[in-house]
Coordinates of all heavy atoms in Angstrom, one line a residue:
C36 N 1.9 -3.2 9.8 CA 2.1 -3.8 11.2 C 2.9 -3.0 12.0 O 2.5 -2.9 13.2 CB 2.9 -5.2 11.0 SG 2.0 -6.6 10.1
A37 N 4.0 -2.4 11.6 CA 4.7 -1.5 12.4 C 4.0 -0.3 12.9 O 4.0 0.1 14.0 CB 6.0 -1.2 11.7
A38 N 3.2 0.3 12.0 CA 2.4 1.6 12.4 C 1.3 1.2 13.2 O 1.1 2.0 14.2 CB 2.0 2.3 11.1
A39 N 0.7 0.1 13.0 CA -0.5 -0.4 13.9 C -0.1 -1.0 15.1 O -0.9 -1.4 15.9 CB -1.5 -1.3 13.1
D40 N 1.1 -1.3 15.1 CA 1.6 -2.0 16.3 C 0.9 -3.5 16.5 O 0.4 -3.7 17.6 CB 1.7 -1.3 17.5 CG 2.5 -1.8 18.7 OD1 3.4 -2.6 18.4 OD2 2.3 -1.7 20.0
D41 N 0.8 -4.2 15.5 CA 0.0 -5.4 15.4 C 0.7 -6.5 14.5 O 1.6 -6.2 13.8 CB -1.3 -5.2 15.0 CG -2.4 -6.1 15.8 OD1 -2.1 -7.3 15.9 OD2 -3.4 -5.6 16.3
G42 N 0.2 -7.6 14.7 CA 0.8 -8.7 13.8 C 0.3 -9.0 12.4 O -0.7 -8.4 12.1
A43 N 1.2 -9.6 11.6 CA 0.9 -9.6 10.1 C -0.4 -10.3 9.9 O -1.2 -9.9 9.0 CB 2.0 -10.4 9.4
E44 N -0.8 -11.6 10.6 CA -2.0 -12.2 10.4 C -3.2 -11.4 10.6 O -4.1 -11.3 9.8 CB -2.0 -13.6 11.3 CG -3.1 -14.5 10.9 CD -3.1 -15.7 11.7 OE1 -1.9 -16.3 12.1 OE2 -4.2 -16.3 12.0
R45 N -3.2 -10.6 11.7 CA -4.3 -9.7 12.1 C -4.5 -8.6 11.1 O -5.6 -8.2 10.6 CB -4.3 -9.2 13.5 CG -4.6 -10.4 14.6 CD -4.4 -9.9 16.0 NE -4.7 -8.5 16.2 CZ -5.9 -8.0 16.6 NH1 -6.9 -8.8 16.8 NH2 -6.0 -6.8 17.0
V46 N -3.4 -8.0 10.7 CA -3.3 -6.9 9.7 C -4.0 -7.5 8.2 O -4.7 -6.9 7.6 CB -2.1 -6.4 9.5 CG1 -1.9 -5.4 8.3 CG2 -1.7 -5.5 10.7
E47 N -3.6 -8.7 7.9 CA -4.0 -9.2 6.7 C -5.6 -9.6 6.9 O -6.3 -9.3 5.8 CB -3.2 -10.4 6.3 CG -1.8 -10.2 5.8 CD -1.0 -11.4 5.7 OE1 -1.5 -12.5 6.0 OE2 0.2 -11.1 5.1
T48 N -6.0 -9.9 8.0 CA -7.5 -10.1 8.2 C -8.1 -8.7 8.1 O -9.1 -8.6 7.5 CB -7.7 -10.7 9.6 OG1 -7.0 -11.9 9.6 CG2 -9.2 -10.9 9.7
A49 N -7.6 -7.7 8.6 CA -8.2 -6.4 8.5 C -8.1 -5.9 7.1 O -9.2 -5.3 6.6 CB -7.3 -5.4 9.4
L50 N -7.1 -6.2 6.3 CA -7.1 -5.8 4.9 C -8.2 -6.6 4.1 O -8.7 -6.1 3.3 CB -5.6 -6.1 4.3 CG -4.6 -5.1 4.7 CD1 -3.3 -5.8 4.3 CD2 -4.7 -3.8 3.9
A51 N -8.4 -7.9 4.4 CA -9.4 -8.6 3.9 C -10.8 -8.0 4.1 O -11.7 -7.8 3.2 CB -9.6 -10.1 4.2
L52 N -11.1 -7.5 5.2 CA -12.3 -6.7 5.7 C -12.4 -5.5 4.9 O -13.6 -5.2 4.2 CB -12.4 -6.5 7.1 CG -12.7 -7.6 8.1 CD1 -12.4 -7.1 9.6 CD2 -13.9 -8.3 7.9
L53 N -11.4 -4.8 4.7 CA -11.5 -3.6 4.0 C -11.5 -3.7 2.4 O -12.3 -3.0 1.7 CB -10.0 -2.7 4.2 CG -9.9 -2.2 5.7 CD1 -8.6 -1.6 5.8 CD2 -11.0 -1.2 6.0
S54 N -10.9 -4.9 2.0 CA -11.1 -5.2 0.5 C -12.4 -5.4 0.2 O -13.0 -5.1 -0.9 CB -10.2 -6.4 0.2 OG -8.8 -6.2 0.2
E55 N -13.3 -6.1 1.2 CA -14.7 -6.4 0.8 C -15.5 -5.1 1.0 O -16.4 -4.9 0.1 CB -15.1 -7.4 1.9 CG -16.7 -7.7 1.7 CD -17.1 -8.2 0.4 OE1 -16.2 -8.9 -0.3 OE2 -18.2 -8.1 0.0
R56 N -15.1 -4.3 1.9 CA -15.8 -3.0 2.0 C -15.6 -2.1 0.8 O -16.5 -1.4 0.3 CB -15.5 -2.2 3.3 CG -16.2 -1.1 3.7 CD -15.7 -0.3 5.0 NE -15.7 -1.4 6.1 CZ -14.9 -1.2 7.1 NH1 -14.2 -0.1 7.3 NH2 -15.1 -2.2 8.1
Y57 N -14.4 -2.1 0.3 CA -14.0 -1.0 -0.8 C -13.7 -1.8 -1.9 O -12.6 -1.8 -2.6 CB -12.7 -0.3 -0.3 CG -13.0 0.6 0.9 CD1 -12.4 0.4 2.1 CD2 -13.7 1.8 0.7 CE1 -12.7 1.2 3.1 CE2 -13.9 2.6 1.7 CZ -13.4 2.4 3.1 OH -13.7 3.3 4.0
R58 N -14.8 -2.7 -2.5 CA -14.4 -3.4 -3.6 C -15.3 -2.6 -4.9 O -16.0 -1.9 -4.6 CB -14.9 -4.8 -3.6 CG -16.5 -5.0 -3.6 CD -16.7 -6.5 -3.6 NE -18.2 -6.7 -3.8 CZ -19.1 -6.9 -2.9 NH1 -18.8 -7.0 -1.6 NH2 -20.4 -7.0 -3.1
E59 N -14.8 -2.9 -6.1 CA -15.3 -2.4 -7.3 C -16.7 -2.5 -7.3 O -17.3 -3.7 -7.1 CB -14.7 -3.0 -8.5 CG -14.8 -2.1 -9.7 CD -13.9 -0.9 -9.8 OE1 -12.7 -0.8 -9.6 OE2 -14.6 0.2 -10.0
G60 N -17.5 -1.5 -7.6 CA -18.9 -1.7 -7.7 C -19.8 -1.4 -6.4 O -21.0 -1.3 -6.4
R61 N -19.1 -1.4 -5.2 CA -19.6 -1.1 -4.0 C -19.3 0.1 -3.4 O -20.0 0.7 -2.6 CB -19.2 -2.3 -3.0 CG -19.9 -2.3 -1.7 CD -19.6 -3.5 -0.9 NE -20.3 -3.4 0.4 CZ -20.2 -4.3 1.3 NH1 -19.5 -5.5 1.1 NH2 -20.9 -4.3 2.3
S62 N -18.1 0.7 -3.7 CA -17.7 1.9 -3.2 C -17.2 2.9 -4.2 O -16.7 2.4 -5.4 CB -16.6 1.7 -2.2 OG -15.9 2.8 -1.6
G63 N -17.0 4.2 -4.0 CA -16.3 5.0 -4.9 C -14.9 5.0 -4.9 O -14.1 5.4 -5.8
I64 N -14.3 4.2 -3.9 CA -12.9 4.1 -3.9 C -12.7 2.6 -3.6 O -13.6 1.8 -3.1 CB -12.1 4.8 -2.6 CG1 -12.7 4.5 -1.2 CG2 -12.1 6.4 -2.9 CD1 -12.0 5.1 -0.2
V65 N -11.6 2.0 -4.2 CA -11.2 0.7 -4.2 C -9.9 0.3 -3.6 O -8.9 1.2 -3.8 CB -11.2 0.1 -5.6 CG1 -10.8 -1.3 -5.7 CG2 -12.6 0.3 -6.3
L66 N -9.8 -0.7 -2.6 CA -8.6 -1.0 -2.1 C -7.8 -2.1 -3.0 O -8.5 -2.9 -3.4 CB -8.8 -1.7 -0.7 CG -7.6 -2.0 0.1 CD1 -6.6 -0.8 0.4 CD2 -7.9 -2.7 1.3
E67 N -6.6 -1.8 -3.4 CA -6.0 -2.7 -4.2 C -4.5 -2.9 -3.7 O -4.0 -2.2 -3.1 CB -5.9 -2.3 -5.7 CG -5.1 -0.9 -5.9 CD -5.0 -0.4 -7.4 OE1 -5.5 -1.3 -8.2 OE2 -4.5 0.7 -7.6
H68 N -4.0 -4.1 -4.0 CA -2.6 -4.5 -3.8 C -1.9 -4.2 -5.1 O -2.0 -4.7 -6.1 CB -2.5 -6.1 -3.4 CG -1.3 -6.4 -2.9 ND1 -0.3 -7.2 -3.6 CD2 -0.5 -5.9 -1.8 CE1 0.8 -7.4 -2.8 NE2 0.6 -6.6 -1.8
V69 N -0.8 -3.1 -5.0 CA -0.2 -2.7 -6.0 C 1.2 -2.2 -5.7 O 1.3 -1.7 -4.6 CB -1.0 -1.5 -6.8 CG1 -1.3 -0.2 -5.9 CG2 -0.4 -1.1 -8.1
A70 N 2.1 -2.2 -6.6 CA 3.5 -1.7 -6.4 C 4.1 -2.3 -4.8 O 4.7 -1.6 -4.2 CB 3.5 -0.2 -6.4
G71 N 3.8 -3.5 -4.7 CA 4.3 -4.2 -3.4 C 3.7 -3.8 -2.1 O 4.1 -4.2 -1.1
G72 N 2.6 -3.0 -2.2 CA 1.8 -2.6 -1.1 C 0.3 -2.5 -1.3 O -0.2 -2.9 -2.3
W73 N -0.3 -1.9 -0.3 CA -1.9 -1.7 -0.4 C -2.1 -0.2 -0.5 O -1.5 0.7 0.1 CB -2.5 -2.2 0.9 CG -2.4 -3.6 0.9 CD1 -1.4 -4.6 1.5 CD2 -3.3 -4.7 0.3 NE1 -1.7 -5.8 1.3 CE2 -2.9 -5.8 0.6 CE3 -4.6 -4.5 -0.2 CZ2 -3.6 -7.0 0.2 CZ3 -5.2 -5.5 -0.8 CH2 -4.8 -6.9 -0.5
A74 N -3.0 0.2 -1.4 CA -3.5 1.5 -1.6 C -4.8 1.7 -2.0 O -5.5 0.7 -2.7 CB -2.4 2.2 -2.6

């Protein structure tokens, strides 16, 4: 949120879009929630 200068709700919506785009079986890389953050 701080880096993107945007609100938590919108950032979480963006993360949901990215999670769908980068899910197992669809992409060579996967977005995951790990160690208290996203990577």
Side-chain angles (χ1 to χ4, degrees):
C36 290
D40 194 25
D41 215 316
E44 188 175 329
R45 284 173 38 86
V46 166
E47 287 170 358
T48 301
L50 285 166
L52 286 173
L53 292 172
S54 292
E55 177 59 24
R56 185 180 306 158
Y57 294 107
R58 72 173 191 263
E59 198 73 56
R61 184 172 184 179
S62 171
I64 56 175
V65 176
L66 180 63
E67 67 178 352
H68 192 238
V69 64
W73 291 88

